[in-house]
Amino acid sequence: MQLRSRRSHFSGWPADARPGIYAVTTNPMLPAPVARQRLLLLDSSRDAPALAESPYRGLLLRSVFSEALPSRAIVLEPALGHLADGDIVRVDPQREELRVLFRPSAPQNSLLVTERCNSFCVMCSQPPRDVDDSALVDEIRRTIELIPRDTPTLGLTGGEPTLAGEGFFDLVRHACNYLPDTELHVLTNGRRFAEQALAARLGELHHPGLRLGIPLYSEQPDLHDFVVQARGAFDETVKGLLNLAAEGIRIELRVVIHRHTYGRLAELARFIARNLPFVEHVALMGLELIGFAKVNLGNLWMDPYDYGPQLAQAVRTLERGGVPAVIYNHQLCVVPESVRSRCVKSISDWKNDYLPECDDCALKAQCGGFFSSGLGLATHSAHIAPFRHSGLIA
Amino acid sequence: MATSEPALAKRFQPLSSYRSRPDDEPAYRLLPFNFARFDEQRYLLSNDAGEYYLLARTDLVAAVDGRLNPDSETYRDLRARHFLYDDHSDAALDLLALKVRTKHARIRDFTGLHIFVVTLRCDYSCPYCQVSRQSEDQSAYDMDEATALTALEYVFKSPSPTVKIEFQGGEPLLNFPLIRFIVERAERLNQAEKRDLAFVIASNLSFIDGEILDYCEAHGIGFSTSLDGPAHLHDANRPRPGRDGHRRTREGIRRVRERLGPDRVSALMTTTAASLAEPRAIIDEYIDAGFHSVFLRPLSPYGFAVKTRQTEKYDFERFLRFYREGMDYILALNRNGWPFVEHYSALMLTKLLSVQPTRYVDLQSPAGAAISALVYNYDGGVYASDEGRMLAEMGDETFRLGDVHKDSYEQILLNPTLHAVLEESLTYGAPECYQCAFQPFCGSDPVYHHATQGDWVGHKAFSAFCARTQQVTSYLIHKLEDEPADREILLDWVRP
Amino acid sequence: MPRDKRVPLSAIDKVSASRERIERVCLKAFALDTVKAVCYRFAAEGCQGLSVSDDGMSAEVRFRLASTVSAAEEQALVGRFHQDLLDQDLRKTVSERTELVRQLILANAFADTALVDRGHE
């Protein structure tokens, strides 16, 4: 996740200081060669070591004691007060920007490979921008080198990560080398893997923990193409899936449910079970109400409670076909009882929020609640109701 | 569904713009399929990947004529099931190829079931049995170690990742020392081979004792036995001196369960003329014996069955009534909260609802002869199937592939008769079969047709094998499509 | 066609008294191969063969029916026969239109390349 502080105050940096990626440490005793790669996090400027002797790349200060600041200091806005040891940040002294790229304490970390995309999904939560952000690849390489080896999972997202071309394969290889024990979850529309040679290249990297999350919104080509706003996308995605499967690459299929996709959800499940049974599982997801989903809300929104029957049918069809199903981004009270156990508390801690009626709910701890960003709390099912005794709805 | 109002933001194209096609192109192209009249209103379509669909004849004709409305649910369903495709995507071609390949994947695995006939001696004299020898003390009918050793070598020459060794007879427990020999030898060989190795003894359970059970527990050996129904049916079908076959079988089942656990013994029934009147009693017997499933199999026409005129008394239409009555009863049990499965139906449902290949030897195309199973007889003779061995006992050696003492593995499997049978048994090329809507759910039974009609393919209009597949599959499709409550029950029977 | 509605085999096998029924099929409407295929299918219901007229315009299909077969059953049988002719003709059309793509699919299915593996299950 990325926290952008517009108001951190940079002091005492050379005028030509370039952006860089560094790990945060609270240890003032690191050896010099390592300290040069680190930002030292201090509670107060009073704790700052004498500037001539400090080998640290920079100092992160939660508070200032006096007007005199050490050089290469960054005074953190209160919003970034929770920065901690092991975080990895990008600093741009000329723009006075500090961005958090990785937090060991976060349940999930994802790195943005590019904002460009070859699809234009009507509900996209990360609307694409056509910019030359190829510099991001190098930054991610650097970040990967700093991420601790015992990190369980790491995500690569976009936009469409495969648009980075060679850079994409480079990153997968880099992650394989530096973080061989870390699951690498790549969110991609899979379209470029319709070209078998690209799928083969990914397979040759033999990343042991690689998993691609690929969306498929309908078994009807024209409807899928509409949802992603690209003709031929269904065709490319399916062929990409087959090429990837032939390479033995693990795949999570993702389905976002809204007004356009709920109607034939059971048919999509049947199609997946019969044609794509090699996928590791299918994630049935609710709308994340930011980005284009917010812009197109009137067209897309429907009360998830109302598509309960289709959701239950889809889960049953998949499971009977030997394909596991999980449900993301749905409150427990709006999904049918028969499939409630498939709900995964996927909204990360910082995005979760709850309504007042949730205070009394016996299942609150297991429920992901609502997205706190976007319209999460303003637009929700009309059937939110707390559980009593962990089973019965009030 | 999905007519946008309010509209999407300006940057986005509406659904209708993804549905438009240039006028001068054909609206869609047909993909290969077969069809047959299903009932008064509907036709059944199916394709090589095993997808099926019911639709009215008028829709079928419209589809073939190119007049089907692309905005209809029928069109969408047919496209999703790969009966047609259009300019939006031709992924259907790749998917169909993949599904056909998956359905035939078991051919690559090759022989997984290896049947060792360790003795012909038996304590029973069942009228329909083709092979057993009444006398219990004729060791001339026992397999010896040399034969077993060579046969085991041949077992592991098959590349199959799973190897199931099934001991049959006569009554195999009458030669238990050889079973021990084979099990231990196979386990030793498997240390290097690392296959998924399993053992089953097909036994009447008369001779079960503590020592045998201890051994079976130590080596993970399971049992398969015969239970034809309540005592009066079972004992009439399976005479034993003392007329106590049923009691002994029930006792044997109990003992195996007690010692090895509830899931280590399974039962098969054989349907004889007498059974046909009593499906419920048979199912009740299975429930009483602690089973959760039954396999409603028709009687095969070989051996003693022909000798004792069983086939004359036995009528295909009567079997179908028996099957339907049995299924009605089983579905009612399920509806009332008691899970119970009919195996043949479960097999057909798996074929209807998934592309995963099934291992039932008698419903394969090409035939399961040698590819699915090999039989090593007590004297070293090798047969392409169990029925092939039974036919040989009646004097017809068509399906005898060779002898482990004289022929190498390659010679046995390159037997020209075997290849002729396999080639002719491909339903893709058989008369009637090649255009049959039930083809994806059916298979070949060359031994059956050889025994009943004198050739491996047979004239299917006269084939009870054909009639059975069509009738049972139609029955199940009707349930899946028209009876939601039963559909839910049947869907649970499919093993992914 | 549901098999349990057919004229039973036993009625033909055992009974010696029988009658003949001839159906004429127009060979401008149906290809000879089509008619033959349907005759083959009805062999178990008494269809014994066909002959083609000298001018090649029509075929005569011969049924031999046991005397126990009622007039209503005979009518139903003939009705099914004609329905099957139409269906077989439709099959011919489908087959012709899809033969090439079927060859392509089967060739791809059995080409010697790696199977997609569900092996981790």
Side-chain angles (χ1 to χ4, degrees):
Chain A
M1 63 161 300
Q2 291 156 15
L3 298 172
R4 195 183 299 270
S5 164
R6 280 164 256 133
R7 305 261 308 280
S8 292
H9 175 57
F10 285 62
S11 163
W13 290 78
D16 61 352
R18 317 229 39 223
I21 295 181
Y22 308 99
V24 173
T25 181
T26 49
N27 182 351
M29 309 292 291
L30 290 176
V34 179
R36 278 193 275 279
Q37 307 284 327
R38 300 282 185 273
L39 300 171
L40 182 62
L41 175 64
L42 299 166
D43 269 332
S44 159
S45 57
R46 187 169 50 181
D47 308 317
L51 53 87
E53 293 148 25
S54 167
Y56 287 88
R57 187 70 186 96
L59 303 175
L60 299 168
L61 307 173
R62 288 206 184 93
S63 62
V64 290
F65 182 63
S66 71
E67 301 265 323
L69 288 173
S71 69
R72 299 197 309 279
I74 304 172
V75 182
L76 298 170
E77 277 299 303
L80 287 176
H82 57 66
L83 270 188
D85 190 275
D87 290 351
I88 299 172
V89 300
R90 178 186 187 276
V91 297
D92 187 344
Q94 291 184 37
R95 294 217 180 120
E96 293 203 59
E97 278 179 4
L98 183 147
R99 189 157 32 107
V100 181
L101 299 179
F102 176 92
R103 312 206 65 193
S105 56
Q108 299 181 45
N109 283 288
S110 286
L111 303 174
L112 180 78
V113 177
T114 177
E115 286 188 273
R116 288 176 302 132
C117 193
N118 51 358
S119 291
F120 203 67
C121 303
V122 297
M123 68 287 179
C124 183
S125 56
Q126 178 92 33
R129 293 200 306 148
D130 196 9
V131 293
D132 180 5
D133 50 10
S134 45
L136 287 175
V137 171
D138 267 338
E139 291 188 2
I140 295 177
R141 280 180 63 100
R142 175 88 184 104
T143 309
I144 287 173
E145 288 160 16
L146 294 174
I147 289 175
R149 260 191 78 137
D150 59 2
T151 300
T153 66
L154 178 65
L156 288 182
T157 69
E160 173 47 49
T162 56
L163 292 183
E166 273 312 305
F168 170 71
F169 295 103
D170 204 31
L171 289 179
V172 176
R173 188 185 312 112
H174 213 59
C176 191
N177 290 337
Y178 278 81
L179 302 168
D181 304 319
T182 303
E183 287 251 318
L184 187 65
H185 293 171
V186 178
L187 292 186
T188 166
N189 57 36
R191 291 171 57 192
R192 297 199 88 196
F193 295 109
E195 200 184 322
Q196 197 271 335
L198 289 183
R201 286 202 54 199
L202 194 56
E204 279 156 21
L205 294 175
H206 293 298
H207 191 305
L210 178 66
R211 193 184 77 188
L212 304 193
I214 296 178
L216 190 67
Y217 300 120
S218 173
E219 90 293 1
Q220 298 295 318
D222 45 5
L223 186 53
H224 176 92
D225 288 357
F226 158 69
V227 173
V228 310
Q229 296 278 301
R231 273 179 194 76
F234 174 90
D235 194 68
E236 289 170 7
T237 299
V238 171
K239 289 174 179 169
L241 285 165
L242 294 184
N243 287 335
L244 290 165
E247 298 293 327
I249 292 170
R250 293 162 50 205
I251 295 164
E252 170 195 68
L253 222 50
R254 295 158 72 91
V255 185
V256 176
I257 311 172
H258 52 64
R259 207 159 63 85
H260 293 289
T261 57
Y262 86 96
R264 283 182 70 103
L265 193 62
E267 288 295 316
L268 173 58
R270 199 201 70 89
F271 179 87
I272 294 169
R274 284 201 79 117
N275 293 285
L276 311 168
F278 45 76
V279 301
E280 201 165 80
H281 65 246
V282 175
L284 299 159
M285 307 171 55
L287 275 179
E288 188 175 347
L289 300 174
I290 57 176
F292 288 161
K294 191 167 155 187
V295 163
N296 288 318
L297 188 67
N299 183 277
L300 299 175
W301 168 260
M302 81 180 272
D303 189 328
Y305 183 84
D306 293 335
Y307 59 63
Q310 285 85 353
L311 178 60
Q313 173 81 307
V315 170
R316 261 205 301 281
T317 301
L318 287 167
E319 289 176 347
R320 277 179 181 139
V323 179
V326 294
I327 300 173
Y328 295 156
N329 306 347
H330 284 77
Q331 299 77 40
L332 293 177
C333 50
V334 310
V335 308
E337 200 249 315
S338 62
V339 295
R340 204 166 282 147
S341 60
R342 301 351 171 252
C343 289
V344 174
K345 186 177 174 183
S346 53
I347 303 178
S348 73
D349 289 340
W350 298 309
K351 292 206 263 186
N352 291 34
D353 222 327
Y354 298 87
L355 290 173
E357 41 264 56
C358 301
D359 289 340
D360 282 332
C361 181
L363 297 184
K364 186 174 174 186
Q366 288 120 283
C367 180
F370 304 83
F371 285 100
S372 51
S373 55
L375 297 170
L377 290 175
T379 304
H380 57 77
S381 170
H383 298 266
I384 302 295
F387 284 92
R388 303 257 162 88
H389 318 300
S390 296
L392 305 163
I393 294 195
Chain B
M1 179 197 96
T3 52
S4 41
E5 85 180 359
L8 292 165
K10 279 214 198 65
R11 286 166 282 181
F12 299 90
Q13 305 294 319
L15 179 55
S16 54
S17 82
Y18 287 88
R19 290 225 164 112
S20 62
R21 283 180 211 88
D23 287 323
D24 55 351
E25 305 224 3
Y28 59 89
R29 292 179 196 78
L30 291 178
L31 286 164
F33 65 89
N34 285 326
F35 64 89
R37 189 153 166 223
F38 182 73
D39 62 19
E40 296 301 319
Q41 290 86 27
R42 296 169 297 185
Y43 275 64
L44 169 70
L45 270 60
S46 73
N47 63 23
D48 287 320
E51 303 261 15
Y52 77 88
Y53 196 62
L54 293 180
L55 81 173
R57 196 176 192 279
T58 45
D59 285 338
L60 170 59
V61 173
V64 176
D65 282 350
R67 290 184 286 109
L68 201 58
N69 177 5
D71 238 345
S72 61
E73 287 304 292
T74 302
Y75 183 89
R76 292 186 186 120
D77 289 344
L78 288 174
R79 182 169 60 180
R81 284 159 180 74
H82 301 144
F83 289 102
L84 55 84
Y85 72 108
D86 54 34
D87 285 334
H88 292 291
S89 170
D90 64 1
L93 300 180
D94 298 282
L95 290 168
L96 280 169
L98 183 56
K99 285 187 283 191
V100 170
R101 182 189 282 184
T102 305
K103 266 174 99 64
H104 291 87
R106 55 129 196 137
I107 299 176
R108 224 177 241 244
D109 287 346
F110 214 58
T111 321
L113 176 61
H114 299 265
I115 297 173
F116 280 70
V117 181
V118 296
T119 180
L120 293 192
R121 293 182 287 138
C122 188
D123 50 322
Y124 281 67
S125 54
C126 310
Y128 52 76
C129 177
Q130 289 80 35
V131 297
S132 70
R133 301 294 185 270
Q134 176 72 69
S135 160
E136 288 184 34
D137 50 24
Q138 290 258 27
S139 53
Y141 294 111
D142 284 5
M143 179 184 276
D144 61 26
E145 287 184 1
T147 306
L149 272 177
T150 314
L152 269 174
E153 277 172 35
Y154 290 15
V155 166
F156 285 102
K157 281 201 197 275
S158 161
S160 178
T162 58
V163 169
K164 184 166 169 189
I165 292 178
E166 186 169 304
F167 299 104
Q168 285 190 11
E171 170 47 49
L173 291 181
L174 286 172
N175 193 358
F176 194 68
L178 189 71
I179 292 179
R180 274 209 300 263
F181 178 80
I182 293 171
V183 168
E184 282 158 35
R185 183 72 190 191
E187 282 170 348
R188 200 149 72 237
L189 288 169
N190 199 41
Q191 275 166 9
E193 294 279 345
K194 299 197 192 323
R195 315 290 182 90
D196 180 4
L197 182 61
F199 301 99
V200 176
I201 305 177
S203 166
N204 60 38
L205 304 179
S206 300
F207 303 103
I208 289 285
D209 63 25
E211 191 197 319
I212 290 176
L213 288 173
D214 284 344
Y215 188 84
C216 289
E217 192 193 33
H219 294 268
I221 302 173
F223 283 90
S224 164
T225 191
S226 299
L227 181 63
D228 286 356
H232 67 277
L233 270 180
H234 185 103
D235 288 331
N237 282 350
R238 298 172 183 268
R240 191 182 187 280
R243 307 226 108 232
D244 57 352
H246 177 265
R247 188 189 60 73
R248 282 176 159 255
T249 302
R250 287 296 303 268
E251 176 62 15
I253 291 170
R254 190 194 64 74
R255 289 194 70 179
V256 172
R257 281 228 179 85
E258 192 178 72
R259 184 75 181 78
L260 302 180
D263 296 333
R264 292 274 284 277
V265 56
S266 64
L268 290 176
M269 64 162 288
T270 305
T271 320
T272 59
S275 325
L276 292 177
E278 302 194 57
R280 288 185 179 227
I282 294 169
I283 292 162
D284 281 338
E285 176 70 20
Y286 269 65
I287 294 174
D288 192 57
F291 293 109
H292 292 280
S293 64
V294 72
F295 197 139
L296 300 178
R297 275 196 311 185
L299 172 66
S300 66
Y302 319 105
F304 288 10
V306 170
K307 279 195 203 169
T308 59
R309 321 291 287 167
Q310 285 280 343
T311 42
E312 273 207 17
K313 286 188 275 187
Y314 179 76
D315 204 4
F316 167 71
E317 275 87 10
R318 290 175 61 205
F319 167 75
L320 197 63
R321 265 201 300 280
F322 167 81
Y323 168 82
R324 283 168 175 265
E325 214 186 298
M327 279 297 287
D328 283 344
Y329 186 50
I330 290 171
L331 287 168
L333 287 169
N334 280 275
R335 263 182 252 120
N336 294 334
W338 186 257
F340 195 87
V341 174
E342 198 285 300
H343 266 304
Y344 187 73
S345 305
L347 182 72
M348 297 310 290
L349 286 164
T350 304
K351 284 173 173 265
L352 282 165
L353 298 170
S354 81
V355 285
Q356 290 313 309
T358 53
R359 294 199 180 280
Y360 184 56
V361 176
D362 297 341
L363 269 181
Q364 306 285 350
S365 167
I371 297 179
S372 291
L374 276 174
V375 180
Y376 311 94
N377 207 6
Y378 73 102
D379 60 2
V382 182
Y383 296 85
S385 71
D386 214 12
E387 284 77 17
R389 169 179 74 113
M390 293 180 198
L391 224 51
E393 292 294 333
M394 287 169 63
D396 181 344
E397 300 225 314
T398 310
F399 296 96
R400 187 177 193 278
L401 302 179
D403 185 323
V404 300
H405 298 300
K406 301 195 195 91
D407 303 306
S408 69
Y409 180 73
E410 288 76 13
Q411 281 172 310
I412 287 173
L413 285 165
L414 292 176
N415 181 303
T417 306
L418 174 63
H419 284 231
V421 168
L422 291 174
E423 205 176 298
E424 289 202 23
S425 68
L426 263 173
T427 51
Y428 285 156
E432 289 298 291
C433 299
Y434 80 103
Q435 280 192 329
C436 178
F438 297 93
Q439 186 199 105
F441 320 117
C442 193
S444 282
D445 196 342
V447 184
Y448 175 90
H449 290 105
H450 174 84
T452 53
Q453 295 192 32
D455 77 74
W456 299 322
V457 173
H459 191 308
K460 291 308 191 307
F462 295 93
S463 166
F465 170 88
C466 173
R468 176 175 30 121
T469 311
Q470 292 202 13
Q471 288 294 332
V472 170
T473 311
S474 297
Y475 172 91
L476 291 169
I477 291 176
H478 167 67
K479 291 283 180 191
L480 291 174
E481 298 299 312
D482 301 333
E483 301 191 17
D486 287 345
R487 174 195 161 91
E488 288 306 300
I489 295 168
L490 293 174
L491 289 179
D492 276 335
W493 291 7
V494 177
R495 309 275 169 266
Chain C
M1 182 60 215
R3 296 280 288 246
D4 52 358
K5 298 254 187 324
R6 294 172 46 183
V7 172
L9 284 181
S10 46
I12 299 162
D13 282 345
K14 290 184 189 145
V15 178
S16 52
S18 64
R19 63 183 187 278
E20 200 179 56
R21 166 77 184 240
I22 308 276
E23 276 306 292
R24 204 157 273 116
V25 179
C26 171
L27 289 179
K28 276 168 58 174
F30 298 102
L32 185 58
D33 273 348
T34 301
V35 184
K36 284 183 187 171
V38 179
C39 285
Y40 184 86
R41 192 171 297 133
F42 277 75
E45 288 191 84
C47 183
Q48 301 225 304
L50 80 166
S51 48
V52 179
S53 64
D54 287 337
D55 61 5
M57 298 300 271
S58 68
E60 231 179 49
V61 177
R62 287 187 311 283
F63 286 87
R64 182 148 296 281
L65 304 170
S67 56
T68 51
V69 174
S70 71
E73 283 170 333
E74 181 179 329
Q75 245 352 79
L77 169 66
V78 168
R80 273 187 285 113
F81 179 83
H82 284 285
Q83 181 69 54
D84 225 34
L85 279 173
L86 290 169
D87 287 349
Q88 190 61 23
D89 191 58
L90 195 58
R91 277 188 196 101
K92 185 160 183 275
T93 306
V94 173
S95 179
E96 281 163 6
R97 298 244 185 98
T98 60
E99 188 51 32
L100 275 180
V101 72
R102 184 161 189 263
Q103 297 300 334
L104 180 66
I105 291 165
L106 290 181
N108 268 330
F110 298 119
D112 191 17
T113 51
L115 278 170
V116 173
D117 194 27
R118 264 186 90 192
H120 63 276
E121 306 270 345

